[in-house]
Amino acid sequence: MNTQFEYSDRVTFASIKAAFGTGGYDDEPPLLEELGISFQDIKKKALVVLYPFRRYDKENMGNPDLVGPILFCLIFGSILLLSGKNYFGYLYGVSASGSIGIHLIFNLMSEAQLEPSNTCSILGYCLLPIVVLSAIIFFLHLNGYFSIIVCILCLIWSTITATRMFITSLSMKDQVILVAYPIALFYSCFALMAM
Amino acid sequence: MGGNQFNQQQNHEQKPFQNFLGNNFLNDPTAQLGLQLGQKAFESGAEMVNQNLNRWLNPANVKKYFDVSNSFVFKKIGLVLFPFRHKSWARIERRNDQNGKIDYSSPRDDINSPDLYIPVMSCVTYIILFAITMTADGNFNPEILGGTALKVLSLLIGEVLLMKLICYLMSISADVAFLDLIAYSGYKFIGVIVVSILKKTTSKFLTYLVYAYVSIALGFFLLRSLKYFVLTDQSLSANTQRKNKIHFLFFIALMEIVISWFLIV
């Protein structure tokens, strides 16, 4: 392989070979790293959501990424598709309008300001219990009262996690229920789709 | 040299056109006057747009309507459903520290102040609840969400515009804020949600009974709290004006009750 390569704009045979071959350059960073996608990070954040009784610090919410949320939404949509519901469009609509609405309301309610990407990141990662719920309902063929109970449990789980994250990052003390309510409404749409 | 000559020749041939496009365009007094006028018109137009936008959608102004606390929201919902024992309906006035103007205090400190958190949240709750009740067979259809949202939003906008139009036609003072009207037209959703849940779970008779009670409570609440908006300048207004305003209040209360009936059915 060509080890003596300098990055330049010139198209040479070596650069074409590096682009279309399997080798690439030796000192080149991996593609995922260049795109800013780190599955380690996504896994770490997902685990934070899945342990509901852990303390949150602001570090966990810093460095918001949207890859995880989009990934979870796609998984959720695919599981729904497996059970015969083509809800990708509704998922997109509900998550977009819900995120925008929640972002506006929280920024209007608190003194601190939140970035839009931060809001989407928190809401997307906290969707994880609902994704798990849809998988449980699909693979175990749940229906009737039992599915409703599981649904409500997952809804409460998602809501509590997201509320705690928002409260720590927005430092709102006397508005806990007011923060939790819109989040619960948002996730209840997803839970209803999963049912 | 040749170029200069060519220029001069053209100057003779199409003088007005050249004047418009040429170098001496900015030196022409008429053009300058026009330019100044245009600039002034643009500036005043931009200022007007800014002012109107600020009046309705000023972030600081909107933010005040969302300055709520847990206890305020619960008390306010209680007030909308049981308004008969409440004594003082006047809003607390407070001097603004920055510009010295007298201002109403925020909802956090004053239960009589209108807010936008309850209307927005109860509206969204109603939309989701309606979608759930429409799917009795347990097969939730998200399409209803969008349809209901569109219906409710258009209803709210139409209602507020109608209120504003009637305000204008009856020459009621223009100080009735747009956001206040939105807030007061949103409070009906609390009663609507209660009745919708009862309609789904209990008998018809109880539903009608509760609807009748909720309507009376809503009407009472609206009459009492809107009175302080509409009937502010009591000394100035003539007797007929006052009568007009009271008619307006009754009309709003009646309209809200009728619309909440349409939302329940």
PDB file of all heavy atoms in Angstrom, chain B residues 90-117:
ATOM      1  N   ALA B  90     -60.142  40.476  40.968  1.00  0.00           N
ATOM      2  CA  ALA B  90     -59.279  41.524  40.411  1.00  0.00           C
ATOM      3  C   ALA B  90     -57.858  41.001  40.290  1.00  0.00           C
ATOM      4  O   ALA B  90     -57.397  40.219  41.124  1.00  0.00           O
ATOM      5  CB  ALA B  90     -59.303  42.739  41.317  1.00  0.00           C
ATOM      6  N   ARG B  91     -57.185  41.436  39.232  1.00  0.00           N
ATOM      7  CA  ARG B  91     -55.795  41.016  39.058  1.00  0.00           C
ATOM      8  C   ARG B  91     -54.866  41.925  39.841  1.00  0.00           C
ATOM      9  O   ARG B  91     -55.143  43.102  40.026  1.00  0.00           O
ATOM     10  CB  ARG B  91     -55.428  41.061  37.573  1.00  0.00           C
ATOM     11  CG  ARG B  91     -56.089  39.967  36.811  1.00  0.00           C
ATOM     12  CD  ARG B  91     -55.808  40.100  35.355  1.00  0.00           C
ATOM     13  NE  ARG B  91     -54.410  39.864  35.051  1.00  0.00           N
ATOM     14  CZ  ARG B  91     -53.918  39.923  33.823  1.00  0.00           C
ATOM     15  NH1 ARG B  91     -54.692  40.222  32.823  1.00  0.00           N
ATOM     16  NH2 ARG B  91     -52.645  39.691  33.601  1.00  0.00           N
ATOM     17  N   ILE B  92     -53.784  41.342  40.330  1.00  0.00           N
ATOM     18  CA  ILE B  92     -52.822  42.096  41.124  1.00  0.00           C
ATOM     19  C   ILE B  92     -51.985  42.954  40.191  1.00  0.00           C
ATOM     20  O   ILE B  92     -51.442  42.460  39.202  1.00  0.00           O
ATOM     21  CB  ILE B  92     -51.922  41.151  41.932  1.00  0.00           C
ATOM     22  CG1 ILE B  92     -52.763  40.331  42.895  1.00  0.00           C
ATOM     23  CG2 ILE B  92     -50.864  41.936  42.687  1.00  0.00           C
ATOM     24  CD1 ILE B  92     -52.007  39.218  43.556  1.00  0.00           C
ATOM     25  N   GLU B  93     -51.875  44.238  40.521  1.00  0.00           N
ATOM     26  CA  GLU B  93     -51.057  45.123  39.690  1.00  0.00           C
ATOM     27  C   GLU B  93     -49.721  45.345  40.368  1.00  0.00           C
ATOM     28  O   GLU B  93     -49.617  45.350  41.594  1.00  0.00           O
ATOM     29  CB  GLU B  93     -51.775  46.452  39.467  1.00  0.00           C
ATOM     30  CG  GLU B  93     -52.871  46.316  38.440  1.00  0.00           C
ATOM     31  CD  GLU B  93     -53.623  47.594  38.225  1.00  0.00           C
ATOM     32  OE1 GLU B  93     -53.399  48.538  38.990  1.00  0.00           O
ATOM     33  OE2 GLU B  93     -54.439  47.641  37.293  1.00  0.00           O
ATOM     34  N   ARG B  94     -48.718  45.540  39.543  1.00  0.00           N
ATOM     35  CA  ARG B  94     -47.365  45.633  40.081  1.00  0.00           C
ATOM     36  C   ARG B  94     -46.594  46.622  39.233  1.00  0.00           C
ATOM     37  O   ARG B  94     -46.749  46.675  38.019  1.00  0.00           O
ATOM     38  CB  ARG B  94     -46.707  44.268  40.015  1.00  0.00           C
ATOM     39  CG  ARG B  94     -45.441  44.147  40.810  1.00  0.00           C
ATOM     40  CD  ARG B  94     -44.894  42.769  40.627  1.00  0.00           C
ATOM     41  NE  ARG B  94     -44.758  42.448  39.206  1.00  0.00           N
ATOM     42  CZ  ARG B  94     -44.289  41.297  38.760  1.00  0.00           C
ATOM     43  NH1 ARG B  94     -43.952  40.356  39.584  1.00  0.00           N
ATOM     44  NH2 ARG B  94     -44.166  41.081  37.453  1.00  0.00           N
ATOM     45  N   ARG B  95     -45.757  47.396  39.890  1.00  0.00           N
ATOM     46  CA  ARG B  95     -44.968  48.367  39.131  1.00  0.00           C
ATOM     47  C   ARG B  95     -43.758  47.667  38.538  1.00  0.00           C
ATOM     48  O   ARG B  95     -43.027  46.973  39.233  1.00  0.00           O
ATOM     49  CB  ARG B  95     -44.516  49.502  40.042  1.00  0.00           C
ATOM     50  CG  ARG B  95     -43.885  50.653  39.308  1.00  0.00           C
ATOM     51  CD  ARG B  95     -43.643  51.801  40.247  1.00  0.00           C
ATOM     52  NE  ARG B  95     -44.897  52.476  40.607  1.00  0.00           N
ATOM     53  CZ  ARG B  95     -45.455  53.404  39.857  1.00  0.00           C
ATOM     54  NH1 ARG B  95     -44.919  53.751  38.709  1.00  0.00           N
ATOM     55  NH2 ARG B  95     -46.560  53.996  40.245  1.00  0.00           N
ATOM     56  N   ASN B  96     -43.583  47.843  37.252  1.00  0.00           N
ATOM     57  CA  ASN B  96     -42.439  47.232  36.572  1.00  0.00           C
ATOM     58  C   ASN B  96     -41.159  47.967  36.972  1.00  0.00           C
ATOM     59  O   ASN B  96     -41.106  49.197  36.954  1.00  0.00           O
ATOM     60  CB  ASN B  96     -42.660  47.321  35.062  1.00  0.00           C
ATOM     61  CG  ASN B  96     -41.775  46.369  34.321  1.00  0.00           C
ATOM     62  OD1 ASN B  96     -40.699  46.027  34.788  1.00  0.00           O
ATOM     63  ND2 ASN B  96     -42.236  45.935  33.179  1.00  0.00           N
ATOM     64  N   ASP B  97     -40.137  47.205  37.338  1.00  0.00           N
ATOM     65  CA  ASP B  97     -38.891  47.836  37.807  1.00  0.00           C
ATOM     66  C   ASP B  97     -38.158  48.558  36.694  1.00  0.00           C
ATOM     67  O   ASP B  97     -37.487  49.563  36.927  1.00  0.00           O
ATOM     68  CB  ASP B  97     -37.970  46.767  38.407  1.00  0.00           C
ATOM     69  CG  ASP B  97     -38.600  46.159  39.634  1.00  0.00           C
ATOM     70  OD1 ASP B  97     -39.390  46.874  40.284  1.00  0.00           O
ATOM     71  OD2 ASP B  97     -38.321  44.992  39.928  1.00  0.00           O
ATOM     72  N   GLN B  98     -38.277  48.029  35.482  1.00  0.00           N
ATOM     73  CA  GLN B  98     -37.435  48.564  34.405  1.00  0.00           C
ATOM     74  C   GLN B  98     -37.955  49.890  33.855  1.00  0.00           C
ATOM     75  O   GLN B  98     -37.220  50.858  33.751  1.00  0.00           O
ATOM     76  CB  GLN B  98     -37.326  47.544  33.275  1.00  0.00           C
ATOM     77  CG  GLN B  98     -36.265  46.522  33.592  1.00  0.00           C
ATOM     78  CD  GLN B  98     -36.604  45.177  33.006  1.00  0.00           C
ATOM     79  OE1 GLN B  98     -37.437  45.071  32.121  1.00  0.00           O
ATOM     80  NE2 GLN B  98     -35.949  44.151  33.497  1.00  0.00           N
ATOM     81  N   ASN B  99     -39.243  49.929  33.499  1.00  0.00           N
ATOM     82  CA  ASN B  99     -39.708  51.167  32.880  1.00  0.00           C
ATOM     83  C   ASN B  99     -40.727  51.911  33.725  1.00  0.00           C
ATOM     84  O   ASN B  99     -41.251  52.936  33.294  1.00  0.00           O
ATOM     85  CB  ASN B  99     -40.278  50.881  31.485  1.00  0.00           C
ATOM     86  CG  ASN B  99     -41.285  49.744  31.523  1.00  0.00           C
ATOM     87  OD1 ASN B  99     -41.756  49.401  32.604  1.00  0.00           O
ATOM     88  ND2 ASN B  99     -41.600  49.190  30.384  1.00  0.00           N
ATOM     89  N   GLY B 100     -40.974  51.422  34.951  1.00  0.00           N
ATOM     90  CA  GLY B 100     -41.841  52.150  35.846  1.00  0.00           C
ATOM     91  C   GLY B 100     -43.308  52.079  35.489  1.00  0.00           C
ATOM     92  O   GLY B 100     -44.136  52.716  36.122  1.00  0.00           O
ATOM     93  N   LYS B 101     -43.638  51.306  34.449  1.00  0.00           N
ATOM     94  CA  LYS B 101     -45.040  51.218  34.052  1.00  0.00           C
ATOM     95  C   LYS B 101     -45.774  50.244  34.977  1.00  0.00           C
ATOM     96  O   LYS B 101     -45.186  49.284  35.473  1.00  0.00           O
ATOM     97  CB  LYS B 101     -45.132  50.722  32.616  1.00  0.00           C
ATOM     98  CG  LYS B 101     -45.255  51.895  31.678  1.00  0.00           C
ATOM     99  CD  LYS B 101     -45.514  51.667  30.254  1.00  0.00           C
ATOM    100  CE  LYS B 101     -45.714  50.492  29.505  1.00  0.00           C
ATOM    101  NZ  LYS B 101     -45.507  50.497  28.113  1.00  0.00           N
ATOM    102  N   ILE B 102     -47.058  50.488  35.159  1.00  0.00           N
ATOM    103  CA  ILE B 102     -47.834  49.562  35.982  1.00  0.00           C
ATOM    104  C   ILE B 102     -48.243  48.373  35.128  1.00  0.00           C
ATOM    105  O   ILE B 102     -48.743  48.525  34.024  1.00  0.00           O
ATOM    106  CB  ILE B 102     -49.053  50.276  36.591  1.00  0.00           C
ATOM    107  CG1 ILE B 102     -48.561  51.234  37.664  1.00  0.00           C
ATOM    108  CG2 ILE B 102     -50.019  49.274  37.190  1.00  0.00           C
ATOM    109  CD1 ILE B 102     -49.646  51.996  38.348  1.00  0.00           C
ATOM    110  N   ASP B 103     -48.000  47.193  35.678  1.00  0.00           N
ATOM    111  CA  ASP B 103     -48.130  45.968  34.910  1.00  0.00           C
ATOM    112  C   ASP B 103     -48.887  44.958  35.773  1.00  0.00           C
ATOM    113  O   ASP B 103     -48.919  45.089  36.990  1.00  0.00           O
ATOM    114  CB  ASP B 103     -46.714  45.453  34.604  1.00  0.00           C
ATOM    115  CG  ASP B 103     -46.688  44.760  33.275  1.00  0.00           C
ATOM    116  OD1 ASP B 103     -47.767  44.625  32.691  1.00  0.00           O
ATOM    117  OD2 ASP B 103     -45.596  44.364  32.854  1.00  0.00           O
ATOM    118  N   TYR B 104     -49.476  43.970  35.133  1.00  0.00           N
ATOM    119  CA  TYR B 104     -50.084  42.900  35.908  1.00  0.00           C
ATOM    120  C   TYR B 104     -49.009  41.914  36.330  1.00  0.00           C
ATOM    121  O   TYR B 104     -48.077  41.643  35.573  1.00  0.00           O
ATOM    122  CB  TYR B 104     -51.139  42.185  35.078  1.00  0.00           C
ATOM    123  CG  TYR B 104     -52.367  43.010  34.827  1.00  0.00           C
ATOM    124  CD1 TYR B 104     -52.741  43.357  33.545  1.00  0.00           C
ATOM    125  CD2 TYR B 104     -53.143  43.450  35.895  1.00  0.00           C
ATOM    126  CE1 TYR B 104     -53.877  44.124  33.317  1.00  0.00           C
ATOM    127  CE2 TYR B 104     -54.267  44.220  35.679  1.00  0.00           C
ATOM    128  CZ  TYR B 104     -54.629  44.543  34.382  1.00  0.00           C
ATOM    129  OH  TYR B 104     -55.746  45.291  34.171  1.00  0.00           O
ATOM    130  N   SER B 105     -49.155  41.361  37.522  1.00  0.00           N
ATOM    131  CA  SER B 105     -48.130  40.406  37.964  1.00  0.00           C
ATOM    132  C   SER B 105     -48.349  39.064  37.269  1.00  0.00           C
ATOM    133  O   SER B 105     -49.431  38.778  36.755  1.00  0.00           O
ATOM    134  CB  SER B 105     -48.164  40.255  39.475  1.00  0.00           C
ATOM    135  OG  SER B 105     -49.368  39.676  39.856  1.00  0.00           O
ATOM    136  N   SER B 106     -47.316  38.241  37.263  1.00  0.00           N
ATOM    137  CA  SER B 106     -47.337  37.013  36.473  1.00  0.00           C
ATOM    138  C   SER B 106     -48.220  35.966  37.153  1.00  0.00           C
ATOM    139  O   SER B 106     -48.528  36.073  38.338  1.00  0.00           O
ATOM    140  CB  SER B 106     -45.921  36.498  36.309  1.00  0.00           C
ATOM    141  OG  SER B 106     -45.461  36.036  37.536  1.00  0.00           O
ATOM    142  N   PRO B 107     -48.643  34.943  36.393  1.00  0.00           N
ATOM    143  CA  PRO B 107     -49.546  33.923  36.940  1.00  0.00           C
ATOM    144  C   PRO B 107     -49.021  33.248  38.199  1.00  0.00           C
ATOM    145  O   PRO B 107     -49.803  32.808  39.039  1.00  0.00           O
ATOM    146  CB  PRO B 107     -49.651  32.911  35.801  1.00  0.00           C
ATOM    147  CG  PRO B 107     -49.363  33.664  34.592  1.00  0.00           C
ATOM    148  CD  PRO B 107     -48.416  34.748  34.966  1.00  0.00           C
ATOM    149  N   ARG B 108     -47.707  33.175  38.329  1.00  0.00           N
ATOM    150  CA  ARG B 108     -47.125  32.505  39.484  1.00  0.00           C
ATOM    151  C   ARG B 108     -47.615  33.111  40.804  1.00  0.00           C
ATOM    152  O   ARG B 108     -47.816  32.402  41.792  1.00  0.00           O
ATOM    153  CB  ARG B 108     -45.605  32.635  39.386  1.00  0.00           C
ATOM    154  CG  ARG B 108     -44.832  31.820  40.360  1.00  0.00           C
ATOM    155  CD  ARG B 108     -43.376  32.152  40.184  1.00  0.00           C
ATOM    156  NE  ARG B 108     -42.809  31.509  39.009  1.00  0.00           N
ATOM    157  CZ  ARG B 108     -42.306  30.286  39.022  1.00  0.00           C
ATOM    158  NH1 ARG B 108     -42.293  29.596  40.128  1.00  0.00           N
ATOM    159  NH2 ARG B 108     -41.809  29.765  37.934  1.00  0.00           N
ATOM    160  N   ASP B 109     -47.801  34.438  40.808  1.00  0.00           N
ATOM    161  CA  ASP B 109     -48.187  35.113  42.048  1.00  0.00           C
ATOM    162  C   ASP B 109     -49.672  35.449  42.117  1.00  0.00           C
ATOM    163  O   ASP B 109     -50.153  35.883  43.151  1.00  0.00           O
ATOM    164  CB  ASP B 109     -47.403  36.429  42.197  1.00  0.00           C
ATOM    165  CG  ASP B 109     -45.940  36.234  41.950  1.00  0.00           C
ATOM    166  OD1 ASP B 109     -45.416  35.265  42.492  1.00  0.00           O
ATOM    167  OD2 ASP B 109     -45.337  37.047  41.225  1.00  0.00           O
ATOM    168  N   ASP B 110     -50.371  35.297  41.005  1.00  0.00           N
ATOM    169  CA  ASP B 110     -51.728  35.810  40.958  1.00  0.00           C
ATOM    170  C   ASP B 110     -52.641  34.783  40.304  1.00  0.00           C
ATOM    171  O   ASP B 110     -52.496  34.485  39.121  1.00  0.00           O
ATOM    172  CB  ASP B 110     -51.734  37.124  40.162  1.00  0.00           C
ATOM    173  CG  ASP B 110     -53.116  37.715  40.098  1.00  0.00           C
ATOM    174  OD1 ASP B 110     -53.986  37.228  40.835  1.00  0.00           O
ATOM    175  OD2 ASP B 110     -53.317  38.648  39.313  1.00  0.00           O
ATOM    176  N   ILE B 111     -53.582  34.278  41.077  1.00  0.00           N
ATOM    177  CA  ILE B 111     -54.429  33.206  40.519  1.00  0.00           C
ATOM    178  C   ILE B 111     -55.402  33.745  39.476  1.00  0.00           C
ATOM    179  O   ILE B 111     -55.850  33.021  38.592  1.00  0.00           O
ATOM    180  CB  ILE B 111     -55.163  32.469  41.647  1.00  0.00           C
ATOM    181  CG1 ILE B 111     -55.811  31.218  41.077  1.00  0.00           C
ATOM    182  CG2 ILE B 111     -56.154  33.358  42.344  1.00  0.00           C
ATOM    183  CD1 ILE B 111     -56.511  30.375  42.034  1.00  0.00           C
ATOM    184  N   ASN B 112     -55.710  35.035  39.514  1.00  0.00           N
ATOM    185  CA  ASN B 112     -56.665  35.578  38.553  1.00  0.00           C
ATOM    186  C   ASN B 112     -56.038  35.913  37.208  1.00  0.00           C
ATOM    187  O   ASN B 112     -56.736  36.310  36.274  1.00  0.00           O
ATOM    188  CB  ASN B 112     -57.313  36.836  39.126  1.00  0.00           C
ATOM    189  CG  ASN B 112     -58.174  36.514  40.304  1.00  0.00           C
ATOM    190  OD1 ASN B 112     -58.810  35.469  40.329  1.00  0.00           O
ATOM    191  ND2 ASN B 112     -58.172  37.356  41.299  1.00  0.00           N
ATOM    192  N   SER B 113     -54.735  35.752  37.115  1.00  0.00           N
ATOM    193  CA  SER B 113     -54.065  36.088  35.861  1.00  0.00           C
ATOM    194  C   SER B 113     -54.245  34.957  34.848  1.00  0.00           C
ATOM    195  O   SER B 113     -54.174  33.794  35.202  1.00  0.00           O
ATOM    196  CB  SER B 113     -52.586  36.301  36.171  1.00  0.00           C
ATOM    197  OG  SER B 113     -51.866  36.368  34.995  1.00  0.00           O
ATOM    198  N   PRO B 114     -54.524  35.301  33.583  1.00  0.00           N
ATOM    199  CA  PRO B 114     -54.637  34.233  32.575  1.00  0.00           C
ATOM    200  C   PRO B 114     -53.262  33.694  32.215  1.00  0.00           C
ATOM    201  O   PRO B 114     -52.287  34.432  32.200  1.00  0.00           O
ATOM    202  CB  PRO B 114     -55.266  34.943  31.382  1.00  0.00           C
ATOM    203  CG  PRO B 114     -54.856  36.351  31.522  1.00  0.00           C
ATOM    204  CD  PRO B 114     -54.756  36.622  32.993  1.00  0.00           C
ATOM    205  N   ASP B 115     -53.196  32.385  31.950  1.00  0.00           N
ATOM    206  CA  ASP B 115     -51.925  31.787  31.529  1.00  0.00           C
ATOM    207  C   ASP B 115     -52.159  31.032  30.236  1.00  0.00           C
ATOM    208  O   ASP B 115     -53.299  30.887  29.797  1.00  0.00           O
ATOM    209  CB  ASP B 115     -51.406  30.832  32.598  1.00  0.00           C
ATOM    210  CG  ASP B 115     -52.238  29.582  32.654  1.00  0.00           C
ATOM    211  OD1 ASP B 115     -53.455  29.726  32.748  1.00  0.00           O
ATOM    212  OD2 ASP B 115     -51.681  28.481  32.577  1.00  0.00           O
ATOM    213  N   LEU B 116     -51.093  30.588  29.618  1.00  0.00           N
ATOM    214  CA  LEU B 116     -51.252  29.819  28.383  1.00  0.00           C
ATOM    215  C   LEU B 116     -50.877  28.356  28.568  1.00  0.00           C
ATOM    216  O   LEU B 116     -51.120  27.548  27.687  1.00  0.00           O
ATOM    217  CB  LEU B 116     -50.403  30.426  27.263  1.00  0.00           C
ATOM    218  CG  LEU B 116     -51.033  31.620  26.561  1.00  0.00           C
ATOM    219  CD1 LEU B 116     -50.095  32.179  25.526  1.00  0.00           C
ATOM    220  CD2 LEU B 116     -52.329  31.222  25.889  1.00  0.00           C
ATOM    221  N   TYR B 117     -50.276  28.019  29.723  1.00  0.00           N
ATOM    222  CA  TYR B 117     -49.866  26.620  29.914  1.00  0.00           C
ATOM    223  C   TYR B 117     -51.092  25.706  29.966  1.00  0.00           C
ATOM    224  O   TYR B 117     -51.146  24.695  29.254  1.00  0.00           O
ATOM    225  CB  TYR B 117     -49.045  26.491  31.202  1.00  0.00           C
ATOM    226  CG  TYR B 117     -48.611  25.077  31.482  1.00  0.00           C
ATOM    227  CD1 TYR B 117     -47.444  24.588  30.921  1.00  0.00           C
ATOM    228  CD2 TYR B 117     -49.372  24.230  32.272  1.00  0.00           C
ATOM    229  CE1 TYR B 117     -47.055  23.285  31.146  1.00  0.00           C
ATOM    230  CE2 TYR B 117     -48.983  22.939  32.500  1.00  0.00           C
ATOM    231  CZ  TYR B 117     -47.823  22.473  31.934  1.00  0.00           C
ATOM    232  OH  TYR B 117     -47.441  21.176  32.152  1.00  0.00           O
TER     233      TYR B 117
END
